[in-house]
């Protein structure tokens, strides 16, 4: 039967979901390169498989009721690349089967083929293969179904309604390596063996997107809380509440992670180019308390001739939570402040906003009257408490609530010159803290749930909570795009900073930071793998609090700027921040002169001997602007990662990289490429004057491709070298010529 005939046949059924069986029964295997998709009917369960983007398939599955079409999705349909005529796929298919024969379709490099239980012909189990250059097929993964085990697509009905929970299992092998999964604080770049709850907390942004060393990528396109498990033989994804299960798999040559990132970002979003100022130095602390203090800060940057591009105002700058306005008693003339800051330093400003609304906020009545606040199943309820007030969170999953938020921010900040926004505590459910009841009780150390029954316009926290932080990024993006009359994906004029995010967060003018870390060496070290996992998840715009956010109460010197121990940690952490997508310092600092945690966190706060070192890194950051522009530009165009775990560039040229990555050795969890030329190895222990760095074997053999930044000494790849690292030097190597790095001529 010809393709035209299929189209005709399918066309006869106006609603594509209607059963159709156009395949001749005698064809037990039928490889359709140009199929629009197939639908399997499996008892009460339906499975729809469509070619999607380049070299990928989207799979949706549901028991009984077909999806409504209004399900939350983080996948573009059509994707940004790899579609014909820009037509959405919607629910198209041109092959239907009741499982009594094999169905196979091909999309570029990938094939999906069904198979049956016990070697039967036909079947309902999906298997995905890459087509190699020589035409042979390599199994990437298939639905995990050992003899008589539970179905790899498993459903349960835990509640009174038609919503279900779903557990989907895919085969793995002991040697598979898993990269991405959002961020955890676990020192792992390879997530094989991990069990990761899909529940957000401060510093944890679990996100079901991964790349496999077998040459495929996977997106579990679900807004539900749940779990990801990467076992020896099985990868399992659980959604606690769903109305459809939706995932995408796409293939590339093994080791070609740039292509996987290109495919991933074509499906989930490309980052726009950031505004120039965002690439400079971002000054922040907990907290500049009033206008006088901020103006003084700007004067100090001016007099000390230290460049700064963004100055940030932290929380409790408002009179009541949910005012989304600076407290006029502390900030009497915001316009004049932002103008002074600009005049003195050229810097833009950013202010914190929390999702929480207290009953005494001026916005409370309007918000509650319009249904813009999250509720609980037992009524309007409250969802958390902070600073003596019970609070409800704004429901940013509701478009009208997003508009309200933006209108308020525009009036109170944007029009007064504060044009960048910091989305804090909007992790979802409550205020995103796992380990304390928001400071109100020293007895409740850990909240055992993130209020799974918090209610939003789109559903419960359990069923849709992974959308919540993302919807905040969306709220600010919609505002930016509205006020600047620009389209999403184009040049950003402002940015937001968010503690959380989700699949495709890179599409917004929004950076993600690693959350409220502690100011100790171990935490510094663990941020590296967190950033590298963020990169593999597709989030290029990553940063962290240089110096750590807060004191570790068990470490007396932690976050105390008057101690030599903390000063050393700060300088090491700060110098690393130079080589991140965004260079930002922040945190709560103690000192010997005040009984407070709001002491200085400025470049001159860490002792006379350290100030010049800190300033030298800020200046280096500005010297690297062309390099930064170039790597952000390529990230914008193709999704090519900015922070690059070593496997991305060297797995195919260095035989040791795969094995070291598998074991999560320090080399692979604490070293990375920043763009194509710079190899960065932050110092993660105190009191060292030398550091061992592994220089990967590059494609060019027999030469000395690596140059040490501080001495110009050159080295061959494929070896460990020990370099001299006094406090003023971070171990930094580069490939190619320094002039090209400085001029940004690097691709
Ligand atoms: C598959 O089922 C259809 C109808 O249900 C039947 O006509 C056909 O012969 C079957 N094919 C095989 C290979 O069993
Ligand atoms: C599939 O589509 C491509 C491009 O439209 C075409 O070149 C190719 O011949 C088609 N293959 C088949 C088997 O129809
Ligand atoms: C085809 O290519 C694959 C992947 O490179 C390789 O594993 C396989 O041995 C090759 N097969 C033949 C017949 O050359
Ligand atoms: C502003 O904050 C600083 C630092 O906390 C404090 O010393 C000063 O008194 C405050 N000034 C005003 C006008 O509130
Ligand atoms: C609550 O916030 C207000 C206003 O920001 C602040 O002055 C006060 O100290 C805070 N109270 C507590 C208990 O943290
Ligand atoms: C900022 O600079 C401009 C031009 O130099 C000047 O007109 C204006 O008064 C300055 N604003 C403030 C608040 O200092
Ligand atoms: C901006 O939003 C307002 C409503 O808040 C709407 O009326 C207006 O059309 C929007 N403008 C643009 C350019 O989208
Ligand atoms: C790995 O790095 C950590 C610090 O980040 C250090 O404490 C540990 O000793 C290192 N392990 C090895 C085997 O070098
Ligand atoms: C730092 O190292 C030196 C020499 O390696 C040693 O003498 C000194 O005690 C160390 N200081 C601390 C604080 O560990
Ligand atoms: C290294 O080379 C650069 C020019 O590429 C030069 O500016 C710098 O002084 C050299 N450093 C040393 C230590 O020789
Ligand atoms: C480099 O050092 C690491 C950690 O000590 C070690 O495991 C590895 O074998 C070394 N590699 C080479 C090529 O010497």
């Amino acid at each position: 039967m010809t393709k035209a005939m299929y189209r005709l046949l399918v066309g006869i059924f106006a609603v594509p979901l209607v059963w159709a069986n156009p395949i001749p029964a005698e064809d037990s295997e039928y490889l359709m390169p140009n199929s629009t998709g197939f639908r399997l009917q499996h008892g009460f369960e339906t499975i729809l498989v469509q070619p999607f983007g380049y070299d990928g398939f989207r799979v949706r599955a549901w028991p009984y009721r077909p999806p409504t079409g209004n399900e939350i999705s983080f996948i573009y349909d059509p994707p940004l690349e790899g579609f014909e005529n820009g037509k959405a796929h919607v629910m198209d298919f041109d092959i239907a089967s009741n499982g009594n024969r094999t169905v196979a379709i091909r999309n570029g490099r990938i094939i999906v083929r069904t198979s049956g239980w016990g070697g039967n012909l036909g079947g309902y189990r999906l298997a995905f293969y890459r087509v190699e250059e020589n035409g042979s097929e390599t199994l990437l993964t298939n639905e995990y179904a050992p003899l008589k085990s539970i179905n790899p697509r498993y459903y349960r009905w835990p509640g009174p309604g038609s919503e279900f929970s779903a557990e989907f299992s895919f085969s793995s092998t002991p040697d598979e390596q898993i990269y991405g999964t959002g961020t955890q604080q676990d020192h792992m770049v390879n997530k094989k063996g991990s069990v990761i709850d899909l529940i957000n907390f401060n510093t944890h942004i679990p996100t079901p997107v991964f790349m496999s060393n077998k040459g495929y990528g996977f997106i579990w396109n679900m807004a539900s809380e749940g779990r990801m498990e990467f076992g020896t033989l099985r990868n399992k994804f659980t959604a606690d509440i769903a109305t459809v299960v939706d995932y995408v798999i796409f293939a590339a040559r093994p080791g070609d992670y740039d292509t996987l990132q290109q495919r991933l970002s074509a499906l989930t979003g490309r980052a726009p180019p950031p505004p120039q100022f965002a690439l400079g130095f971002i000054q922040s602390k907990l907290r500049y308390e009033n206008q006088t203090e901020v103006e003084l800060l700007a004067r100090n940057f001016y007099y000390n001739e230290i460049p700064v591009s963004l100055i940030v105002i932290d929380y409790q700058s408002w009179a009541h939570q949910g005012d989304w306005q600076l407290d006029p008693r502390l900030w009497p003339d915001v316009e004049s402040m932002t103008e002074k800051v600009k005049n003195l330093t050229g810097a833009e400003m950013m202010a914190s906003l929390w999702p929480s609304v207290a009953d005494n906020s001026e916005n409370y009545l309007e918000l509650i009257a319009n249904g813009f606040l999250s509720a609980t199943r037992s009524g309007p309820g409250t969802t958390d408490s902070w600073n003596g007030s019970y609070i409800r969170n704004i429901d940013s999953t509701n478009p009208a609530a997003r508009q309200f938020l933006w209108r308020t921010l525009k009036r109170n900040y944007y029009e007064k010159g504060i044009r960048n926004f910091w989305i804090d505590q909007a992790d979802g459910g409550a205020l995103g803290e796992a380990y304390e009841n928001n400071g109100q009780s020293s007895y409740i150390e850990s909240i055992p749930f993130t209020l799974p029954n918090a209610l939003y316009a789109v559903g419960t926290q359990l069923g849709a909570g992974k959308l919540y932080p993302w919807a905040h990024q969306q709220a600010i993006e919609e505002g930016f795009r509205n006020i600047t009359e620009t389209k999403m994906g184009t040049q950003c004029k402002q940015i937001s900073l968010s503690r959380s995010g989700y699949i495709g967060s890179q599409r917004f003018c929004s950076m993600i930071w690693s959350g409220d870390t502690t100011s100790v060496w171990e935490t510094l070290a663990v941020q590296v793998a967190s950033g590298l996992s963020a990169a593999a998840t597709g989030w290029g715009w990553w940063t962290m609090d240089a110096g750590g956010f807060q004191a570790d109460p068990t470490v007396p010197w932690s976050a105390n700027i008057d101690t030599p121990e903390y000063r050393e940690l700060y300088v090491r952490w700060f110098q690393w921040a130079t080589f991140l997508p965004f260079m930002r310092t922040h945190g709560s600092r103690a000192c010997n002169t005040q009984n407070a945690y709001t002491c200085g966190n400025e470049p001159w706060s860490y002792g006379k001997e350290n100030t010049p070192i800190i300033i030298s890194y800020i200046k280096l950051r500005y010297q690297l602007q062309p390099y930064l522009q170039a790597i952000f530009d390529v990230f914008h165009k193709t999704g090519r990662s900015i922070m690059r775990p070593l496997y991305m560039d060297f797995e195919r040229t260095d035989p040791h990289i795969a094995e070291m990555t598998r074991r999560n050795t320090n080399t692979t969890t604490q070293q990375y490429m920043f763009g194509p030329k710079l190899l960065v190895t932050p110092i993660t222990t105190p009191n060292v004057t030398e550091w061992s760095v592994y220089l990967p074997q590059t494609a060019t053999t027999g030469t000395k491709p690596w140059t040490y930044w501080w001495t110009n000494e050159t080295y061959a790849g494929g070896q460990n070298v020990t370099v001299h690292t006094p406090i003023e030097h971070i171990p930094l190597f580069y490939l190619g010529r320094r002039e090209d790095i400085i001029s940004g001529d690097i691709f």
Side-chain angles (χ1 to χ4, degrees), residues 3 33-34 84:
K3 196 175 149 196
N34 289 341
E84 274 178 48

Side-chain angles (χ1 to χ4, degrees), residues 709-712 734 738-739:
W709 184 269
W710 308 108
T711 61
N712 297 337
Y734 63 93
R738 186 189 295 238
E739 304 86 279

Side-chain angles (χ1 to χ4, degrees), residues 29 55 67 142 169 179 217 228 375 390 403 432 476 495 551 594 597 692 719 741:
E29 169 141 350
D55 310 318
N142 54 14
S169 297
Y179 308 132
M228 313 180 249
Y390 283 99
Q403 272 189 12
I476 303 299
I495 45 166
Q594 277 176 47
Y597 274 90
S692 171
Q719 60 167 340
I741 292 171

